[in-house]
Amino acid sequence: MDFRNAYAHGFARVAACTLPVVMADPARNAEATIEQVRRLHDDGVAVALFPELGLSGYAIDDLHMQDVLLDEVDRAVVAIAKATAGLTPVVVVGAPLLIGNRLLNCAVVIHAGEVLGVAPKSYLPNYREFYEKRWFAAGDDAVDTLINRPHWPGADEDGDLAYGTDLLFEATDVPGLTVHVEICEDFWVPIPPSSRAALAGATVLLNLSASPITVGRADDRHLLARSASARCNAAYLYAAASEGESSTDLSWDGMTMVYEMGDLLGESERFPSGPQATVVDVDLDRLRQERLRQGSFDDNRRVEGIGEPGGESFRVVAFELEPPTGDIGLRRKVDRFPFVPDDEARLAQDCYEAYNIQVSGLEQRLRAIGQPRIVIGVSGGLDSTHALIVAAKAMDRLGRPRTDIIGFTMPGFATSDGTKSNAIHLMESLGITFETLDIRPAATQMLKDLGHPAGDGEEVYDVTFENVQAGLRTDYLFRAANQRGGIVLGTGDLSELALGWCTYGVGDQMSHYGVNTGVPKTLMQHLIRWVVSSGQFEGEVNGTLTEILDQEISPELVPTKEGEKIQSTEDSVGPYALQDFTLYHVLRRGYRPSKIAFLAQHAWSDAATGDWPAGYPEGERPAYDLETIRHWLEVFVRRYFSNQFKRSALPNGPKVVAGGTMSPRGDWRMPSDVSSAAWLAEIERNVPTA
């Protein structure tokens, strides 16, 4: 595998371009187009989109029907086709073309020295400032499926080329790269041609536009492009006309943008001086995986009759792209924390929703089973802290006293004074009922009964030593819940479940309701920060929450001597930042390990580049090299597969993030005895160590 090459990982580089036009001078417009295409070739671009009627100019009115102009447009198409020989990009340019007795507003698709096909505009605006029906015929009722241009490179032996609104241009050597073209007004109608093309298999939807600018129109374009890309599980490229178009009655802003499944990948400066191009890498795997998961997408195709007997069909024009090899970089933002937005306002919104999803889920569970008390183990760590403040807010909203929450702090052999103190301070400041229950005598007795050396004081700190403590804590919580009319509120999070970092059965894997099971570890600290910043609680609560945020993540099960580093969860299972990165792309995207490693390298190789979530401490911003990424990726795969049995017996709990959950009743179903061999072999084959 060409590991560092973006095309090898399912990406395709695309460009939405605009450039100054010279009205009614196709030769000069062709020269400018060719110059830009050559630059895009050097940049590794696969698809280059240009504006509507870019060869002639859009706002030339009756000159569209002049023979001199049409002859020059014809020559311009040939010139561009010949100039693209040996170049990578599929070039899509706008041109008025005479077909039969009518003039059509067309997109000409060109690649590697040949014209691949011609797509006419289906819907012609003839209202307000638009007057297109004076010059053009609508392409949606075209009878012919071929256009005859014997002198155009790419024409067959009869001089014909593919023509119509039903053309899909498919790269045979870039899986998933299937292009459809529509023009301007086509995406302003209720059912755009691109929607049906997407159902037929198009993944990259292009819109050549002229689109004179008026106040507010740019927002409308964003709305439509974002919507089209989201509904169609596709990429949507848009390019509008720029300087040089007539300003007799209108003005032009040269807007270009690319959306992918509702996400804006890039846009160019508006009202530019000179050529502009939005160049980004589209994730074809993401589009394919989303369509694979969303079965209703293909159901819609079937109901609409696309590809069905007697229904609408699309023609495929195949071509070989020959994409660039080697490291060409990656032209898209890769979030370090896919569960945590970088944008501060978006993060606050996500935290508001996540917190209230958890609170309302717990409220409903309490109402449904007769308003029991809540029994919870409070360690002073992130997860139990967050579960407790969710419980407190649920009680507030239900109009119940917080004393109906019974918190237990249960020090074991390695519990630090700091975490114990934080746990007690938090419970005191929240005003819940709480007790301290020292599990060490019972744990020592159990170890002794088992014949474990630690029962006699020997320093043997194995998994049994750890799980005796974890199991006793949960056992006590369940018995206390029986005794006091309560339910055990689980505190374990989504990341721990993915990695199997929990004790099965009578352990922290089990509870009556798992309020945190839909929350990844990397989001947890931001949720607690949001609770503080948004003033969910008063008094001393916020100060204690802030102290808890500063602690290292540790299970505190193995004793350490003075001067020794405390037991660290991340030393065992890996940095949660990396493991949550992998979790998201496995759970939500279904990506190969090699692609995850490729993305992780781009996201994590340099701490000084890219965005960090608001509030992330500057002194704690790590970087990871490829060797480290590969190591923890292998750990993730091994643990993820071997611990499915814990997730198969998961208690109820609300789904929180769109990235998914581990619930066997929700997002994730997998046999408990399946092998990880194929995934580990893929890492071995395709991910280098450096």
Side-chain angles (χ1 to χ4, degrees):
M1 174 184 253
D2 190 0
F3 176 78
R4 288 174 173 79
N5 179 258
Y7 283 91
H9 294 285
F11 294 100
R13 186 159 296 173
V14 300
C17 311
T18 191
L19 69 171
V21 68
V22 182
M23 289 185 292
D25 194 341
R28 289 178 64 184
N29 294 329
E31 289 174 5
T33 301
I34 292 166
E35 182 180 353
Q36 189 149 340
V37 169
R38 286 175 176 150
R39 289 197 297 267
L40 296 171
H41 166 80
D42 293 339
D43 205 13
V45 167
V47 178
L49 169 70
F50 290 86
E52 177 183 14
L53 296 174
L55 293 185
S56 60
Y58 177 86
I60 62 173
D61 299 337
D62 289 352
L63 292 178
H64 281 124
M65 296 187 290
Q66 290 287 310
D67 285 340
V68 170
L69 179 95
L70 295 176
D71 289 345
E72 287 299 309
V73 166
D74 189 89
R75 294 188 184 96
V77 170
V78 173
I80 293 173
K82 290 180 177 178
T84 62
L87 302 182
T88 300
V90 173
V91 181
V92 183
V93 294
L97 297 179
L98 184 63
I99 300 174
N101 295 318
R102 296 299 302 273
L103 193 64
L104 283 101
N105 182 343
C106 293
V108 183
V109 182
I110 300 167
H111 179 249
E114 296 185 346
V115 176
L116 297 180
V118 175
K121 185 174 185 176
S122 293
Y123 299 98
L124 304 176
N126 223 58
Y127 54 88
R128 293 196 292 272
E129 66 264 39
F130 300 108
Y131 204 15
E132 287 191 28
K133 288 185 179 179
R134 177 181 176 90
W135 310 297
F136 300 112
D140 62 331
D141 64 351
V143 175
D144 296 328
T145 59
L146 299 171
I147 181 174
N148 189 259
R149 294 291 191 278
H151 57 291
W152 280 13
D156 66 17
E157 58 185 12
D158 296 319
D160 293 330
L161 300 111
Y163 166 77
T165 61
D166 60 341
L167 299 180
L168 304 181
F169 300 92
E170 184 176 284
T172 57
D173 54 346
V174 181
L177 180 56
T178 303
V179 175
H180 177 265
V181 183
E182 63 187 7
I183 302 174
C184 201
E185 186 75 9
D186 290 347
F187 96 138
W188 292 82
V189 299
I191 306 176
S194 57
S195 296
R196 305 183 70 78
L199 292 174
T203 54
V204 177
L205 311 176
L206 309 183
N207 188 291
L208 303 83
S209 193
S211 194
I213 187 61
T214 54
V215 172
R217 184 170 288 175
D219 288 342
D220 293 340
R221 296 170 184 157
H222 275 292
L223 174 65
L224 292 173
R226 182 184 183 195
S227 174
S229 70
R231 285 183 295 100
C232 294
N233 291 335
Y236 200 95
L237 281 64
Y238 178 93
S242 187
E243 60 180 324
E245 289 286 3
S246 174
S247 61
T248 300
D249 293 298
L250 300 167
S251 190
W252 316 81
D253 69 338
M255 181 178 185
T256 70
M257 58 182 167
V258 180
Y259 275 90
E260 177 188 287
M261 282 183 53
D263 296 332
L264 180 62
L265 298 188
E267 59 182 325
S268 64
E269 176 189 355
R270 295 171 59 207
F271 304 101
S273 176
Q276 292 283 324
T278 297
V279 181
V280 296
D281 290 336
V282 169
D283 190 345
L284 301 173
D285 286 346
R286 180 188 183 193
L287 307 178
R288 176 179 51 79
Q289 279 280 350
E290 195 66 21
R291 293 180 180 187
L292 179 67
R293 282 162 168 69
Q294 187 185 338
S296 53
F297 183 89
D298 195 62
D299 288 343
N300 189 208
R301 175 204 59 79
R302 175 179 49 79
V303 170
E304 292 298 315
I306 297 173
E308 297 291 308
E312 182 179 1
S313 61
F314 281 74
R315 291 173 290 156
V316 174
V317 178
F319 65 95
E320 187 174 359
L321 184 71
E322 296 186 9
T325 58
D327 187 354
I328 61 170
L330 186 64
R331 297 289 186 85
R332 65 185 284 129
K333 178 183 177 183
V334 182
D335 290 322
R336 286 183 172 91
F337 298 96
F339 292 112
V340 183
D342 299 328
D343 178 73
E344 188 170 359
R346 180 70 247 184
L347 176 56
Q349 175 70 14
D350 282 11
C351 289
Y352 159 79
E353 291 182 347
Y355 185 64
N356 282 284
I357 287 168
Q358 293 177 273
V359 171
S360 62
L362 180 56
E363 283 183 76
Q364 171 58 22
R365 178 51 54 100
L366 293 173
R367 281 193 298 263
I369 59 176
Q371 297 288 11
R373 293 177 176 178
I374 291 174
V375 174
I376 181 173
V378 183
S379 68
L382 289 179
D383 292 349
S384 65
T385 293
H386 186 63
L388 177 55
I389 57 181
V390 166
K393 182 60 69 172
M395 287 300 188
D396 292 349
R397 287 175 41 160
L398 289 168
R400 295 177 58 186
R402 292 183 190 168
T403 51
D404 280 353
I405 303 171
I406 305 169
F408 286 90
T409 180
M410 294 177 282
F413 297 118
T415 301
S416 67
D417 291 338
T419 54
K420 180 182 175 182
S421 174
N422 282 338
I424 292 173
H425 288 164
L426 182 61
M427 292 188 287
E428 284 178 335
S429 60
L430 285 169
I432 72 168
T433 303
F434 69 91
E435 300 178 22
T436 298
L437 200 165
D438 190 339
I439 67 166
R440 286 173 292 185
T444 300
Q445 185 61 51
M446 181 176 285
L447 289 165
K448 186 184 291 288
D449 292 344
L450 290 171
H452 192 282
D456 294 321
E458 296 185 36
E459 295 181 358
V460 178
Y461 304 139
D462 57 10
V463 68
T464 303
F465 178 83
E466 295 186 35
N467 283 349
V468 161
Q469 297 172 77
L472 276 171
R473 286 173 173 146
T474 304
D475 198 359
Y476 276 123
L477 291 175
F478 271 98
R479 302 296 74 79
N482 294 154
Q483 181 188 41
R484 306 179 194 197
I487 62 168
V488 176
L489 189 65
T491 62
D493 63 53
L494 178 67
S495 308
E496 292 176 340
L497 288 167
L499 294 163
W501 192 247
C502 53
T503 302
Y504 182 74
V506 184
D508 53 318
Q509 176 264 349
M510 187 49 62
S511 65
H512 288 113
Y513 193 72
V515 75
N516 281 343
T517 54
V519 179
K521 184 75 78 177
T522 49
L523 181 59
M524 196 70 73
Q525 60 179 308
H526 297 283
L527 282 173
I528 296 173
R529 284 197 186 98
W530 177 84
V531 167
V532 172
S533 65
S534 62
Q536 300 297 309
F537 297 99
E538 299 176 352
E540 299 179 7
V541 176
N542 290 342
T544 305
L545 292 177
T546 302
E547 287 184 24
I548 290 169
L549 284 168
D550 294 334
Q551 295 175 168
E552 180 170 359
I553 300 170
S554 172
E556 293 194 331
L557 295 171
V558 175
T560 56
K561 297 176 182 178
E562 187 174 350
E564 291 182 343
K565 185 177 184 293
I566 67 167
Q567 182 185 15
S568 169
T569 297
E570 293 183 304
D571 287 347
S572 297
V573 300
Y576 276 114
L578 279 183
Q579 301 301 43
D580 273 5
F581 185 92
T582 298
L583 173 60
Y584 178 88
H585 289 101
V586 167
L587 186 59
R588 187 70 177 87
R589 301 275 185 253
Y591 289 162
R592 298 174 181 86
S594 58
K595 179 164 185 169
I596 297 172
F598 173 80
L599 291 170
Q601 185 180 34
H602 280 275
W604 285 101
S605 62
D606 185 355
T609 61
D611 297 323
W612 291 82
Y616 204 95
E618 288 194 17
E620 300 175 15
R621 298 182 175 184
Y624 301 106
D625 59 22
L626 185 57
E627 183 179 7
T628 302
I629 290 167
R630 189 184 194 273
H631 168 73
W632 290 119
L633 182 59
E634 287 183 331
V635 170
F636 180 94
V637 170
R638 294 181 191 279
R639 295 192 67 96
Y640 192 77
F641 277 81
S642 64
N643 285 283
Q644 175 62 24
F645 72 98
K646 297 179 182 179
R647 302 187 290 265
S648 294
L650 191 65
N652 294 171
K655 178 177 178 176
V656 176
V657 292
T661 73
M662 294 281 92
S663 171
R665 300 164 298 277
D667 282 11
W668 189 253
R669 294 167 176 80
M670 184 175 85
S672 296
D673 50 3
V674 70
S675 170
S676 61
W679 282 259
L680 292 170
E682 204 274 342
I683 295 174
E684 183 65 29
R685 285 195 309 270
N686 295 327
V687 183
T689 56

